[in-house]
Amino acid sequence: MILDSLNLQDKVAIVTGCNTGLGQAMALGLAEAGCKVVGINRREPTETMEKMKAAGHQFLAVRADLSKQDDIPHIIEQTVSTFGRIDILVNNAGIIRREDALEFSEENWDDVMNVNSKTVFFMSQAVAKQFIAQGDGGKIINIASMLSFQGGIRVPSYTASKSAVMGITRAMANEWAKFNINVNAIAPGYMATNNTTALRADEERNSAILERIPAGRWGTSEDIAGPCVFLASKAADYINGYTIAVDGGWLAR
Ligand code: NAP
């Protein structure tokens, strides 16, 4: 049955930055599809823990600061010692800094590049080593952006970091497909989360953005959950190195 290929029963999924927003929705979607989920957050993901518990899902919360890479071995160890293996990694944690390009500070450059690109690569590398040791492949899903395709305004380090995500998604897929590892990305369009509070509060930008989205609305966190489950599943085994836009048609304009 085709729907069986979407079943993720007993798979183990790591989702970074899942206390809120898109990460929370993807963690819940993966759990609903059958996964045991490991959530990586700087602080206790209280709301996500409550939602997981209420639905009877298995969820392990691990604390880590992904602005540096030192905690990565601990994340792998905790996951494997609790659930025995890793099948899926969703590199979702991300930050954005807004400042005119002429004034843009080195700190705003480095902070964003660290979380959004460098940690994404080294988390993927560590998990890929675990997949190879397990011997039966795995799925890596990176969260890219419209700014993997476009330039953006006042967010140069975000644009650089998300363009890098699309690039390293291809690069990792090229090297790891032979181990049955799929590395793909989801590029969300304009989604109503904390990340876009400032944009939505700016009336002029808000209406300019809405006017361009063929769907005529901001995306919701739940809009990302289905594509995430699909990419994590057997149904997507022959998709590799690709960045899928989930954008209400934004890029089609
Ligand atoms: P969000 O609500 O701001 O969530 C970002 C998540 O990343 C939070 O859980 C945050 O944790 C976590 N995070 C940030 N820095 C971290 C660090 N150093 N260590 C550990 N966790 C960290 O934003 P979102 O919209 O859901 O964003 C999720 C992803 O989608 C990001 O990669 C973002 O760039 C991308 N994206 C969003 C949109 C959009 O329109 N919303 C569009 C395209 C792409 P804290 O709560 O502790 O800060």
Side-chain angles (χ1 to χ4, degrees):
M1 266 277 288
I2 187 69
L3 291 180
D4 292 341
S5 66
L6 290 161
N7 191 331
L8 301 179
Q9 200 58 46
D10 295 329
K11 300 279 185 196
V12 177
I14 298 177
V15 182
T16 68
C18 69
N19 62 321
T20 178
L22 308 184
Q24 183 184 75
M26 289 189 285
L28 286 164
L30 290 166
E32 266 179 49
C35 289
K36 299 167 188 167
V37 176
V38 180
I40 315 300
N41 292 282
R42 290 189 274 208
R43 53 203 163 86
E44 187 111 306
T46 318
E47 193 184 281
T48 306
M49 287 165 87
E50 281 165 8
K51 290 185 177 196
M52 289 283 184
K53 198 172 165 206
H57 300 313
Q58 288 195 65
F59 180 71
L60 171 73
V62 174
R63 293 280 186 86
D65 178 1
L66 300 175
S67 62
K68 44 192 178 40
Q69 292 74 46
D70 315 10
D71 293 331
I72 293 174
H74 172 70
I75 294 170
I76 308 294
E77 262 164 45
Q78 284 282 297
T79 305
V80 174
S81 68
T82 307
F83 292 133
R85 57 182 289 115
I86 308 172
D87 299 289
I88 298 154
L89 166 66
V90 181
N91 281 307
N92 167 74
I95 58 171
I96 191 163
R97 298 277 168 79
R98 298 176 194 282
E99 195 177 14
D100 291 345
L102 279 176
E103 313 301 334
F104 209 81
S105 69
E106 197 172 341
E107 187 187 0
N108 279 344
W109 182 271
D110 289 341
D111 289 354
V112 172
M113 293 299 281
N114 269 321
V115 180
N116 294 13
S117 303
K118 189 171 177 183
T119 298
V120 168
F121 177 75
F122 285 103
M123 269 298 293
S124 302
Q125 183 192 60
V127 167
K129 285 181 181 171
Q130 177 65 26
F131 288 162
I132 291 166
Q134 292 169 186
D136 51 1
K139 307 278 188 181
I140 298 176
I141 300 159
N142 298 321
I143 303 306
S145 164
M146 292 296 95
L147 301 192
S148 304
F149 301 91
Q150 302 176 312
I153 299 165
R154 303 187 72 243
V155 288
S157 60
Y158 189 80
T159 306
S161 71
K162 294 297 187 178
S163 298
V165 165
M166 187 159 81
I168 58 176
T169 294
R170 293 175 174 140
M172 294 187 288
N174 286 340
E175 291 200 36
W176 301 340
K178 62 175 179 277
F179 301 113
N180 287 326
I181 298 172
N182 297 74
V183 189
N184 290 295
I186 294 172
Y190 285 81
M191 319 300 283
T193 66
N194 298 341
N195 177 294
T196 53
T197 308
L199 265 188
R200 282 176 291 124
D202 179 336
E203 255 176 54
E204 207 175 303
R205 293 277 287 130
N206 186 44
S207 54
I209 287 167
L210 271 179
E211 195 271 324
R212 195 198 140 138
I213 302 173
R217 65 168 177 90
W218 284 76
T220 66
S221 296
E222 290 67 33
D223 285 324
I224 300 294
C228 176
V229 167
F230 167 63
L231 285 178
S233 77
K234 205 173 158 30
D237 274 356
Y238 205 57
I239 300 179
N240 221 337
Y242 199 67
T243 298
I244 296 182
V246 179
D247 64 351
W250 173 276
L251 287 181
R253 285 290 287 268

